[in-house]
Amino acid sequence: MKCINTTDAVGHVLCHDITRIIKDVVKDTAFRKGHVVTEEDIPVLLSLGKDQLYVWEKDETMLHENEAAEILYGICKNEHMHPTEVKEGKIELVADCDGVFRVDVPRLDAINEIDEIMIATRHTNSAVKKGDRLLGTRVIPLVIKKEKMELVKRTAGEEPLVSLTPYKKMKAGIVTTGNEVFYGRIKDTFTPVIEEKLASYGIEVCGHKLCNDDREKITNAILELKNQGADMVVCTGGMSVDPDDKTPGAIKDTGARIVSYGAPVLPGAMFLLGYFEDGTPVMGLPGCVMYAKATVFDLVLPRIAAGIEVTKKDLAHMGNGGFCLGCKVCHYPNCGFGKGV
């Protein structure tokens, strides 16, 4: 850095904070380290008693933190998100729509392993709302070598580091199974829960069928809902391994490709996911979805609502963080459930 007259400082970068103090009124930072001095700043700086300033001495091999932040923003930016103004070397990205936010975690890790670089994001596969902050970027020092930022760009590659996939306009069919509900022995308390969860993603219920424990009837009900235009089919009940639980076999009989019967998530281990040949998902939901605040269904549904195919590998990765602690006061999604690193 070098010391120059304040009147000559336009366009230079401050190397230190400048504090403003007005007795009994205010004490704050009028100008922060890294600020680029403008013509309008000169009278203010002089009024603060700053006839001279310490500024960054321009070096063609170095970049200012704001310039570096723009590079980090460039490797992250994608559709359906916008940046905040660069401030103190930091840029954040904000969601332009509701959807599923995803991060290429291996590439993110590789970038953050480079000294003096940081990109902090939400967890990958997070369900977000319009206006939510998605990530923040900055470099640690005030100035950084250009060659290091070139390394960052090479490490990041050509594809954006993150994505935000909007929810699709979808219709769902619900198949409620079980003799106890079919014959009116107990009230159906499962369907209202599913309807509420679907509605939170803008998914309309286009059909609801009630079946007894008859495997063939359950299969036919699923197929009828699909043929009537359902973009997904959700089956409730009959998902355990007991002999009289027919739902898993009934889903298999539809001809759907079974991704997995079982998931490393508690609550929700007996979850079943399949896809028809045209990509329509069909799910079998265990009883815990009816009474537990957060289950495997809450982890999978946002991706389904965004039209993102869920794979066997995706489900397997839910084991890390897939154990709900059953807190007396549930704070999901603001907790560790479903957020493996």
Side-chain angles (χ1 to χ4, degrees):
M1 60 183 178
K2 64 179 179 178
C3 183
I4 63 173
N5 292 327
T6 298
T7 52
D8 298 327
V10 174
H12 288 273
V13 179
L14 294 178
C15 288
H16 57 94
D17 291 347
I18 295 177
T19 303
R20 175 180 59 172
I21 301 176
I22 302 176
K23 187 178 182 298
D24 300 326
V25 177
V26 67
K27 178 182 179 180
D28 64 5
T29 303
F31 298 94
R32 293 194 178 277
K33 178 183 72 174
H35 176 73
V36 179
V37 179
T38 67
E39 190 72 49
E40 293 75 18
D41 295 334
I42 302 301
V44 180
L45 288 163
L46 292 173
S47 73
L48 296 173
K50 297 298 179 181
D51 292 327
Q52 292 180 317
L53 298 172
Y54 284 95
V55 296
W56 173 44
E57 199 165 4
K58 185 69 173 176
D59 182 337
E60 295 304 321
T61 69
M62 306 292 284
L63 290 173
H64 179 255
E65 61 179 354
N66 286 353
E67 296 173 301
E70 293 285 356
I71 291 173
L72 294 179
Y73 158 64
I75 67 176
C76 293
K77 68 178 180 179
N78 208 331
E79 296 180 307
H80 312 299
M81 56 187 75
H82 69 271
T84 59
E85 288 187 20
V86 61
K87 182 179 180 182
E88 299 171 23
K90 181 173 69 174
I91 296 178
E92 296 184 351
L93 282 176
V94 181
D96 289 334
C97 65
D98 297 358
V100 175
F101 174 67
R102 291 187 289 173
V103 182
D104 189 322
V105 177
R107 282 198 293 146
L108 173 66
D109 291 345
I111 291 166
N112 281 328
E113 286 173 5
I114 300 172
D115 288 342
E116 302 181 320
I117 303 297
M118 68 127 297
I119 301 173
T121 75
R122 284 176 177 257
H123 283 283
T124 189
N125 292 309
S126 290
V128 300
K129 297 286 188 182
K130 181 179 179 179
D132 283 350
R133 295 184 300 164
L134 304 175
L135 62 82
T137 74
R138 71 170 303 159
V139 295
I140 305 305
L142 175 62
V143 295
I144 192 168
K145 288 185 176 295
K146 287 183 179 180
E147 63 184 31
K148 182 166 286 188
M149 297 312 299
E150 289 300 319
L151 172 61
V152 169
K153 290 192 283 187
R154 290 196 302 272
T155 303
E158 298 297 324
E159 294 298 317
L161 190 64
V162 300
S163 65
L164 177 55
T165 306
Y167 299 130
K168 296 181 178 294
K169 188 172 180 61
M170 302 180 77
K171 295 181 291 185
I174 301 176
V175 178
T176 302
T177 70
N179 288 340
E180 67 278 19
V181 177
F182 183 79
Y183 294 111
R185 298 167 189 158
I186 65 170
K187 182 180 179 181
D188 176 17
T189 56
F190 208 149
T191 301
V193 172
I194 302 307
E195 289 175 334
E196 182 178 355
K197 288 183 181 290
L198 293 172
S200 67
Y201 294 98
I203 300 170
E204 173 192 351
V205 175
C206 64
H208 178 212
K209 293 187 178 293
L210 190 59
C211 298
N212 61 3
D213 292 319
D214 183 301
R215 181 164 166 166
E216 185 177 353
K217 288 181 179 178
I218 298 171
T219 298
N220 290 337
I222 295 169
L223 292 173
E224 286 173 16
L225 288 169
K226 180 182 180 303
N227 292 335
Q228 290 169 9
D231 299 304
M232 70 173 74
V233 181
V234 179
C235 302
T236 68
M239 286 303 301
S240 77
V241 293
D242 296 338
D244 60 347
D245 284 332
K246 306 296 178 60
T247 307
I251 295 175
K252 185 177 181 180
D253 290 346
T254 64
R257 170 179 57 87
I258 305 302
V259 174
S260 180
Y261 176 27
V265 178
L266 288 173
M270 305 309 292
F271 172 75
L272 186 150
L273 173 66
Y275 285 93
F276 287 97
E277 191 173 338
D278 63 359
T280 302
V282 55
M283 289 169 277
L285 305 186
C288 61
V289 177
M290 176 171 52
Y291 58 81
K293 175 68 184 297
T295 71
V296 65
F297 188 47
D298 298 282
L299 305 183
V300 172
L301 183 56
R303 304 187 210 187
I304 298 293
I308 299 169
E309 182 176 348
V310 179
T311 66
K312 175 76 172 178
K313 189 173 184 178
D314 291 331
L315 292 172
H317 284 182
M318 290 181 183
N320 181 22
F323 181 64
C324 177
L325 300 181
C327 302
K328 288 184 179 179
V329 178
C330 180
H331 297 287
Y332 181 83
N334 300 316
C335 71
F337 180 62
K339 295 178 174 66
V341 294

